[in-house]
């Protein structure tokens, strides 16, 4: 079975923007490359379409970020080991494992907060 391809013209409205010639894009957008947009054009388009900015996701609540620290299989195994050790009566081992799990969660949360701060700083540097 042979596949037949059809030529698509630049006037096809289904053609993606990046595949159009420059003159067709400027025609669709009603823009003059030499002149650009006037202030009133900018204000009208901003009012009609909104600011040219990517939407930012709202930050995750702290309690969800804390719970994420306990989603690893290894951490769940350690928690199970601490519970078993506590049920057997070895409270010292249970306490040590529990402290290790909590310290790991605190360090993970701290690192995640630093990464978020760095990403926020980087976003602020972008034009």
């Amino acid at each position: 079975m042979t596949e037949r391809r059809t030529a698509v013209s630049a006037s096809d409205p289904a053609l993606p923007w990046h595949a159009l010639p420059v003159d067709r894009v400027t025609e669709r957008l009603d823009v003059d490359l030499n002149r650009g947009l006037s202030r009133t054009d900018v204000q009208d388009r901003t009012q009609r379409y909104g600011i040219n900015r990517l939407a930012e996701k709202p930050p995750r609540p702290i309690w969800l970020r804390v719970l994420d620290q306990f989603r690893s299989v290894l951490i769940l195994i350690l928690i199970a080991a601490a519970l078993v050790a506590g049920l057997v009566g070895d409270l010292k081992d249970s306490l040590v494992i529990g402290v290790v799990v909590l310290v790991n969660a605190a360090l993970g949360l701290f690192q995640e907060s630093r990464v978020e701060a760095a990403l926020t700083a980087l976003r602020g540097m972008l034009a």
Side-chain angles (χ1 to χ4, degrees), residues 44-106:
D44 290 343
R45 291 177 189 217
T46 302
Q47 190 174 16
R48 189 177 328 149
Y49 303 113
I51 298 174
N52 186 15
R53 184 177 299 155
L54 294 174
E56 293 183 27
K57 292 188 287 187
R60 289 175 52 104
I62 187 76
W63 64 273
L64 277 177
R65 291 179 20 210
V66 169
L67 282 180
D68 285 343
Q69 302 303 316
F70 297 100
R71 292 181 62 190
S72 167
V73 174
L74 182 61
I75 296 299
L76 293 176
I77 290 172
L78 284 173
I79 291 171
L83 290 174
V84 168
L87 290 174
V88 172
D90 195 356
L91 295 179
K92 183 178 178 183
D93 285 345
S94 179
L95 184 64
V96 169
I97 294 172
V99 168
V100 167
V101 167
L102 289 176
V103 167
N104 179 65

Side-chain angles (χ1 to χ4, degrees), residues 5-6 27-28 30-32 34 56 59 62 70 75 77 81 91 93-94 104 107 115:
R5 292 186 166 202
T6 58
E27 179 184 309
R28 277 194 190 179
D30 191 26
V31 175
D32 179 10
N34 298 322
E56 293 183 27
I62 187 76
F70 297 100
I75 296 299
I77 290 172
L91 295 179
D93 285 345
S94 179
N104 179 65
L107 288 174
V115 167

Side-chain angles (χ1 to χ4, degrees), residues 112-123:
E112 190 175 314
S113 297
R114 288 185 59 190
V115 167
E116 287 292 327
L119 286 175
T120 302
L122 284 173
R123 277 190 210 107

